[in-house]
Amino acid sequence: MSKVLVFGHQNPDTDAIGAAIAFSYLQNQLGVNAEPVALGTPSEETQFALDYFKLEAPRVITSIKEEQADVMLVDHNEFQQSVVDIAEATILAVVDHHRIANFETANPLYYRAEPVGCTSTIILKLFKENQIEIPKEIAGIMLSAIISDTLLFKSPTSTEADQLAAKELVEISGVDLEAYGLDMLKAGTNLSDKPAEVLLDLDAKSFPMGEASVRIAQVNTVDLNEVMDRQAELETAMQTEIATNGYDLFVLVVTDILNSNSELLIAGERKEQVEQAFGVKLENNRAFLQGVVSRKKQVVPQLTEVFN
Amino acid sequence: MSKVLVFGHQNPDTDAIGAAIAFSYLQNQLGVNAEPVALGTPSEETQFALDYFKLEAPRVITSIKEEQADVMLVDHNEFQQSVVDIAEATILAVVDHHRIANFETANPLYYRAEPVGCTSTIILKLFKENQIEIPKEIAGIMLSAIISDTLLFKSPTSTEADQLAAKELVEISGVDLEAYGLDMLKAGTNLSDKPAEVLLDLDAKSFPMGEASVRIAQVNTVDLNEVMDRQAELETAMQTEIATNGYDLFVLVVTDILNSNSELLIAGERKEQVEQAFGVKLENNRAFLQGVVSRKKQVVPQLTEVFN
């Protein structure tokens, strides 16, 4: 049987890695020769989860041309967030929880999307539909993905389905949800030893919006000031990224995971659109957004509407 | 609760209508204020099935602007096959069994696609997952959709899942599968009383292929000659459609449902591509394709490859 690679988006977060591991395992049990891979190395948050559940980080690929494999995508569908030569691949399946855009196939495929907080919540359903038992460590990484994507259920992207899924996965993995969850999230907030360009790339996605190309990076912290003290260094790195990649706008969302607020730092030519999207006045290229923690629900749609 | 319209593709076939009725009924049971509608009137085949199971034909809509409703799509996703102003609608859900192309949303949605022969096969799964009982007449129209899409399981698009679904639906609806199925398919082959332009529009879809716009119409018959005797009239009508709509190629697939073969009739500028796609030599703009009955599996991919 031909080989299948399962992977999440570029700049993988815990769901991109965890969903790839879990969905690949499920496919193996269904008789498919699947391998989880990743489009980047794990973040410190993800590595914390992998270490905790004694899982290997998936092999990193940068192209599928040499792999001689069909692909299954998890936690993304937009081609610009996927492997560089995705358009030439045969996509057999997608499991995702994002909008669908810039995605197409030549043939019918298996596509499973639901508007829930985390891909792993959907993958838990798939395990149950196929009556496949979930090993403890796979349940652990799926639980970690849900904690990560929902910020321990504080994000507005979190749904009842995510909470119910987490409850089931807690039982299988045997961890203390609150204690483990906060430890894992905090492991991802160790930003001080990272150069600005690394920090900007930890969890960054590009979005075509109208005629513009918008880059939106997000970092989690337990101390907004610790990040904002480095504003000058961050702005220089954002300008370099804009010059290199032709972005019209670079938005850095710095999210306080303890108090569930975010501060924006902006670079690029479209600052008035940011002010319009969020109903704020930028001061020194910054704005505080009360209660904003979700890029998907509280940043991307608002900006998209202004650009369209 | 706001209203939701559920509909299939333009030039609706029995699956487009049947899946809309069935999925809308399922949504109603789940508490959604859904109404099945259609982007055209039922074909004679579909009307035969509706009459048999005493169901009303869905209301025909031509635009959603005035409807003040969100939408759920069945049996299609490509915008050019949908309602004319689909790009302005909020798409809450899609249930489909085709390739994904020319489709995008601003927000996460429910998307359920599987590479099976019929949308109604997937909808049966959804009834079971939600533990909703299927009324006799809904099972009947779903069964009719499966018979129609798979040509009584003779099409290469037919899968084991479709056969198993049909078996379950036979039990609920209580019909004789073979006898009812053949009667229904034959009801759709009454072509002699239809003007050429009506015949070309019974089951026609447009496909962007490379730079070209390709129109592919399909009609079912129990006598290929009866249709081909009208070649001159059909060619004139195809040329008119090309001139009106700017198609680069018009392919009419006339399918013999008793012997599972098709004859092509071609109009437009790209005839050499047709010869290349199917490895045939056109004679008098016609070619006989042994064993070809499925537009989706045996016509569209072959043409797409040549145009790309």
Side-chain angles (χ1 to χ4, degrees):
Chain A
M1 179 181 290
S2 62
K3 197 174 163 184
V4 174
L5 296 182
V6 183
F7 53 89
H9 52 78
Q10 294 171 17
N11 302 102
D13 58 10
T14 304
D15 192 29
I17 302 248
I21 291 172
F23 192 56
S24 183
Y25 176 85
L26 173 60
Q27 291 298 324
N28 291 158
Q29 303 309 303
L30 296 172
V32 176
N33 180 16
E35 180 195 357
V37 294
L39 304 184
T41 52
S43 69
E44 286 175 60
E45 178 198 283
T46 308
Q47 192 61 55
F48 178 93
L50 291 168
D51 291 344
Y52 192 96
F53 294 105
K54 300 191 174 57
L55 287 163
E56 297 270 325
R59 178 168 68 91
V60 173
I61 63 163
T62 53
S63 156
I64 48 148
K65 207 166 283 172
E66 307 293 315
E67 299 280 346
Q68 305 265 337
D70 292 339
V71 307
M72 296 183 178
L73 308 184
V74 292
D75 197 29
H76 76 297
N77 67 83
E78 302 192 37
F79 280 5
Q80 79 280 358
Q81 297 170 1
S82 195
V83 72
V84 61
D85 47 2
I86 186 67
E88 284 127 65
T90 298
I91 304 170
L92 298 179
V94 177
V95 186
D96 190 22
H97 65 129
H98 296 89
R99 71 171 189 176
I100 299 176
N102 192 17
F103 175 83
E104 72 169 27
T105 63
N107 290 297
L109 75 162
Y110 182 93
Y111 201 111
R112 185 77 174 246
E114 297 186 24
V116 294
C118 181
T119 309
S120 293
T121 299
I122 306 167
I123 291 175
L124 174 60
K125 272 199 188 183
L126 301 182
F127 270 101
K128 290 159 81 173
E129 286 171 18
N130 288 287
Q131 295 175 294
I132 303 287
E133 212 169 307
I134 308 178
K136 201 168 170 168
E137 74 278 9
I138 301 281
I141 197 72
M142 289 167 72
L143 177 63
S144 304
I146 296 174
I147 292 166
S148 171
D149 268 15
T150 66
L151 289 177
L152 259 172
F153 316 109
K154 282 185 188 155
S155 168
T157 59
S158 180
T159 68
E160 203 192 333
D162 299 299
Q163 290 201 287
L164 291 172
K167 210 174 152 189
E168 288 189 50
L169 293 167
V170 160
E171 279 184 29
I172 303 171
S173 62
V175 298
D176 178 321
L177 179 63
E178 289 294 325
Y180 170 76
L182 210 55
D183 282 352
M184 186 199 78
L185 289 176
K186 278 186 183 162
T189 65
N190 177 22
L191 305 173
S192 57
D193 63 342
K194 292 184 181 61
E197 54 271 25
V198 171
L199 193 149
L200 292 177
D201 211 37
L202 286 175
D203 177 12
K205 293 182 182 178
S206 300
F207 298 87
M209 294 186 181
E211 301 294 299
S213 168
V214 179
R215 182 78 165 173
I216 309 180
Q218 184 169 27
V219 295
N220 291 341
T221 183
V222 289
D223 181 2
L224 288 176
N225 289 332
E226 188 191 277
V227 181
M228 285 307 175
D229 284 349
R230 299 170 63 188
Q231 180 174 355
E233 182 198 351
L234 287 165
E235 285 187 322
T236 306
M238 287 160 87
Q239 292 296 355
T240 305
E241 280 229 33
I242 286 172
T244 311
N245 301 298
Y247 304 131
D248 298 285
L249 175 67
F250 197 121
V251 179
L252 172 63
V253 184
V254 186
T255 299
D256 177 346
I257 59 167
L258 297 182
N259 300 300
S260 301
N261 301 307
S262 291
E263 182 136 14
L264 298 185
L265 179 61
I266 308 297
E269 294 302 308
R270 309 294 184 92
K271 287 176 192 157
E272 65 283 10
Q273 275 91 338
V274 176
E275 297 191 330
Q276 206 187 321
F278 303 107
V280 294
K281 196 85 199 145
L282 290 172
E283 282 178 35
N284 185 22
N285 297 327
R286 290 159 57 168
F288 182 78
L289 299 183
Q290 182 81 36
V292 168
V293 296
S294 165
R295 173 171 53 197
K296 184 162 81 169
K297 277 229 165 154
Q298 297 173 299
V299 179
V300 173
Q302 288 74 3
L303 276 171
T304 304
E305 198 182 327
V306 170
F307 277 96
N308 281 345
Chain B
M1 177 179 291
S2 63
K3 196 172 163 185
V4 174
L5 297 182
V6 182
F7 53 88
H9 51 79
Q10 294 171 16
N11 303 104
D13 58 10
T14 304
D15 193 28
I17 302 250
I21 291 173
F23 193 57
S24 183
Y25 176 84
L26 173 60
Q27 290 298 324
N28 291 159
Q29 302 309 303
L30 296 172
V32 177
N33 181 15
E35 179 195 356
V37 294
L39 304 184
T41 52
S43 69
E44 286 175 61
E45 178 197 284
T46 308
Q47 192 61 55
F48 178 93
L50 291 168
D51 290 344
Y52 191 95
F53 294 105
K54 299 190 175 57
L55 286 163
E56 297 269 325
R59 177 168 68 92
V60 173
I61 64 162
T62 53
S63 157
I64 47 147
K65 207 165 285 172
E66 307 294 314
E67 299 280 344
Q68 306 265 335
D70 293 338
V71 306
M72 296 182 177
L73 307 183
V74 292
D75 198 29
H76 76 298
N77 67 83
E78 302 192 40
F79 280 6
Q80 79 280 357
Q81 297 170 3
S82 196
V83 72
V84 62
D85 48 2
I86 186 66
E88 284 128 66
T90 298
I91 303 170
L92 299 178
V94 177
V95 185
D96 190 22
H97 65 129
H98 296 89
R99 71 169 189 177
I100 299 176
N102 191 17
F103 175 83
E104 73 168 26
T105 63
N107 290 296
L109 74 162
Y110 182 94
Y111 201 111
R112 185 74 175 248
E114 296 187 24
V116 294
C118 181
T119 308
S120 293
T121 299
I122 307 167
I123 292 176
L124 174 60
K125 272 197 187 184
L126 302 183
F127 270 101
K128 290 159 80 172
E129 285 171 20
N130 288 287
Q131 297 175 292
I132 304 286
E133 213 171 306
I134 309 178
K136 201 168 171 168
E137 72 279 9
I138 301 283
I141 197 72
M142 289 167 72
L143 177 64
S144 304
I146 296 175
I147 292 166
S148 170
D149 268 14
T150 66
L151 288 177
L152 258 171
F153 316 109
K154 282 185 189 158
S155 168
T157 59
S158 179
T159 68
E160 205 191 331
D162 299 299
Q163 289 200 287
L164 291 173
K167 212 175 150 188
E168 288 188 50
L169 294 167
V170 161
E171 278 182 29
I172 304 171
S173 62
V175 299
D176 178 320
L177 178 63
E178 289 293 324
Y180 170 75
L182 209 55
D183 282 353
M184 186 199 78
L185 289 176
K186 277 186 184 163
T189 65
N190 177 22
L191 305 172
S192 58
D193 63 343
K194 292 185 180 59
E197 55 270 27
V198 171
L199 192 148
L200 292 178
D201 211 37
L202 286 175
D203 178 10
K205 293 182 182 176
S206 301
F207 299 88
M209 294 186 183
E211 302 294 300
S213 169
V214 179
R215 182 78 166 173
I216 309 181
Q218 184 170 26
V219 295
N220 290 342
T221 183
V222 289
D223 181 3
L224 287 176
N225 289 333
E226 188 192 277
V227 182
M228 285 307 175
D229 284 349
R230 298 170 63 188
Q231 179 173 353
E233 181 198 353
L234 286 165
E235 285 188 320
T236 305
M238 288 159 85
Q239 291 297 354
T240 305
E241 280 231 33
I242 286 172
T244 311
N245 300 298
Y247 304 131
D248 298 285
L249 175 67
F250 197 122
V251 179
L252 172 63
V253 183
V254 185
T255 298
D256 176 347
I257 59 166
L258 297 182
N259 300 300
S260 301
N261 300 308
S262 291
E263 183 137 12
L264 298 185
L265 178 62
I266 309 297
E269 293 303 308
R270 309 295 185 92
K271 288 175 192 157
E272 65 282 12
Q273 275 90 336
V274 176
E275 296 190 331
Q276 206 186 321
F278 303 106
V280 294
K281 196 86 198 144
L282 289 172
E283 282 178 35
N284 186 21
N285 297 328
R286 290 160 56 169
F288 182 78
L289 300 183
Q290 182 81 35
V292 168
V293 296
S294 166
R295 173 170 52 196
K296 184 163 79 166
K297 278 229 166 160
Q298 298 172 300
V299 178
V300 173
Q302 288 74 3
L303 276 171
T304 303
E305 197 182 325
V306 169
F307 276 95
N308 281 346

